[in-house]
Amino acid sequence: MSAEARSLTVPFDAFTLSRLDIQTIEYAEDLLTRACMRAAGFDWEMLPPPASTDSDPMHRRRYGVIEPEVAERYGYHLPPLAPDQRAREQVWRRREALPLARRRTAYGPDGQGGCRRTARLRVAEGVPALDQQQLNSYIGSTFTASQRMPAVMAAFEAWSRCMSGKGFTYDTPLAAAGDPAWMKSDLTSPREIAVAVADVECKQTTGLVAVWSAADKAVQLDAIAAHRGDFDRFRDARDAELRAARRIIGNG
């Protein structure tokens, strides 16, 4: 993985749950679920403990594919899951095939209750309510606004000219990544590889990622300053949930 991909951050990271944060919360819920299931006479397969570092950083593809080796091998398709991610997915899949009695104990007759719901409610005790829809609205609107910044629009134009010089016509990197042609198959076509490789090369030539990232950060900082109360609530909710999860893990 490139250093550039691993280093990408945005100001909203201070107010949202990272993938490692989510793993921490899920592990705490699993500990409580296991205790509940054992009390009912059943075992419970745990998810792996939270990782120390994220094998697939959250913003790795925020600005499209930016890693040459990924473009060359996978085009715009997602690379295979890292071993730690694959291990987690395998546990979730095995849970879908639980025997009926164990499944009902874990999830309740309607799939929304049981030990899992008890565990989730326990982790959420005392945690301020989070308006996820409002947070998502800020995330979406600022990302859109960043693309309208003059410096980013100029970088898009330079990138598009670079792509045209390589024989490909796209206005923006998101248009290239979202080409419906790539969605027609799980397999990566030679043309997809060619476009993705050109895309990364043109991002590097034009410095697009640095320009876009700077604009992205500026727009988010403006939103935080203009809506400080909302973002304080987002952070309070996130921090409280993580404290609760870590306390449960520490006692587990």
Side-chain angles (χ1 to χ4, degrees):
M1 183 183 305
S2 71
E4 181 183 37
R6 188 167 287 284
S7 67
L8 290 173
T9 62
V10 293
F12 283 7
D13 291 345
F15 306 90
T16 57
L17 293 169
S18 70
R19 186 179 286 106
L20 298 184
D21 293 337
I22 293 170
Q23 289 180 9
T24 298
I25 293 166
E26 289 177 342
Y27 192 71
E29 291 177 351
D30 251 17
L31 286 169
L32 297 174
T33 301
R34 183 175 66 180
C36 176
M37 293 291 287
R38 285 179 173 176
F42 297 109
D43 197 9
W44 181 254
E45 182 183 8
M46 294 282 294
L47 290 165
S52 56
T53 58
D54 195 342
S55 58
D56 186 20
M58 187 161 53
H59 303 302
R60 185 178 187 180
R61 296 171 73 99
R62 183 176 184 86
Y63 308 112
V65 176
I66 65 174
E67 299 164 276
E69 65 276 14
V70 172
E72 291 167 3
R73 294 188 64 183
Y74 308 108
Y76 293 105
H77 281 69
L78 292 175
L81 294 176
D84 63 309
Q85 294 174 313
R86 190 161 56 249
R88 296 178 67 81
E89 287 300 311
Q90 288 169 348
V91 173
W92 288 115
R93 283 198 295 271
R94 285 193 289 271
R95 288 178 181 177
E96 293 174 0
L98 288 175
L100 181 59
R102 190 181 304 179
R103 184 173 183 80
R104 284 187 172 178
T105 302
Y107 298 105
D110 62 354
Q112 302 297 318
C115 287
R116 292 295 286 166
R117 175 171 171 76
T118 300
R120 283 194 295 271
L121 292 175
R122 171 84 177 278
V123 174
E125 282 179 4
V127 174
L130 171 64
D131 189 338
Q132 190 64 54
Q133 185 174 357
Q134 184 184 36
L135 176 56
N136 290 341
S137 177
Y138 282 125
I139 292 171
S141 63
T142 54
F143 188 64
T144 298
S146 74
Q147 297 169 59
R148 297 177 181 147
M149 296 285 280
V152 177
M153 294 177 69
F156 284 170
E157 290 174 2
W159 174 90
S160 183
R161 287 194 300 272
C162 176
M163 289 292 283
S164 180
K166 295 176 182 292
F168 306 114
T169 304
Y170 294 99
D171 290 335
T172 70
L174 296 184
D179 191 326
W182 319 144
M183 304 301 110
K184 293 178 180 178
S185 173
D186 292 335
L187 301 177
T188 305
S189 68
R191 178 176 173 82
E192 179 183 345
I193 294 289
V195 173
V197 168
D199 178 356
V200 174
E201 290 174 349
C202 288
K203 284 189 175 98
Q204 294 174 338
T205 300
T206 61
L208 185 146
V209 173
V211 172
W212 195 353
S213 177
D216 207 3
K217 290 176 181 177
V219 170
Q220 289 196 1
L221 287 172
D222 285 346
I224 293 166
H227 305 280
R228 173 55 66 179
D230 290 343
F231 282 90
D232 284 346
R233 286 189 290 274
F234 297 149
R235 181 155 50 194
D236 288 346
R238 184 202 66 171
D239 290 352
E241 189 170 20
L242 280 173
R243 281 196 302 271
R246 288 168 180 154
R247 184 167 56 250
I248 290 164
I249 293 171
N251 295 333

